[in-house]
Every structure is written in structure tokens, then in C-alpha cells.
Amino acid sequence: MSTPPTYYERHIFFCLNERTNGEDCCAHHGAQEAFDRCKAQVKAAGLAGPGKVRVNKAGCLDRCAAGPVAVVYPEAVWYSFVDEQDIDEIVESHLKNGQVVERLRTPAHLGR
């Protein structure tokens, strides 16, 4: 018996958490801009929608030391990124072609 297809092939979540107590957080490192860029790139590439890719906002993903971060499912690949080129590479390589961008993987030991 085969498993039915999931609603989305891939789902990427961006931590957009903002801390107001002075602690570091993804929101202080361009997370909203990265989310907006990813959403626009996914749409422009025709990757958005059922059976394809969903780009979502998330609260704290508890990987603050590596921030800003995003995670792609179903592969559960965590990324740390710094600029638009990083986001474009994640979209093109992973979200479009299924190839993990190794240079942007969040080190496994980095948590909160």
C-alpha cells in the first residue's frame, strides 16, 4: 500500500520571533526580509501551491544561537542564512531541485 501524497511537497518555516527584552533573536537579523524574499522567489519560480512548496512564518524555533534560521520539511534540514543570495540558493537548489545547500546548514550543536 502506498502512502498518499502530502498536500505540499516541501514546507519552509522562517523563524520571525522578536524578543523585546534585549536578547538576540532572528527578527534582529533580517528574518522578515528573508521570508519575503523566499516567498517572492518561490512564487516567481512557479513553485508555490498545493503539491509544491509552502513558505511559512514561525515563532521561535529555539535555534537562536544560529539565527536567523529556517527549516525545510519533510527533510528537516535547518539553514542559517545571511543575505538574499543565500535565500535564492535555498530556493533554487533545495526547494526547486531537492538538493540540500550544505554550506548553509545550521550546525547541529547550535540551539538556543
Side-chain angles (χ1 to χ4, degrees), residues 10-88:
R10 289 196 176 83
H11 216 132
I12 184 167
F13 294 90
F14 282 81
C15 176
L16 300 183
N17 191 55
E18 183 168 8
R19 298 186 189 283
T20 57
N21 62 1
E23 285 184 61
D24 206 12
C25 61
C26 291
H28 294 160
H29 296 282
Q32 180 67 54
E33 293 81 3
F35 167 82
D36 293 342
R37 174 76 177 197
C38 185
K39 197 161 183 77
Q41 292 296 89
V42 164
K43 186 175 181 181
L47 300 174
K52 298 178 185 175
V53 175
R54 174 76 181 173
V55 181
N56 265 97
K57 299 175 182 181
C60 185
L61 294 173
D62 216 25
R63 304 285 310 265
C64 310
V69 297
V71 60
V72 177
Y73 287 105
E75 297 94 335
V77 173
W78 289 83
Y79 288 115
S80 297
F81 50 85
V82 297
D83 57 26
E84 289 182 349
Q85 289 75 29
D86 289 349
I87 298 303
D88 293 351

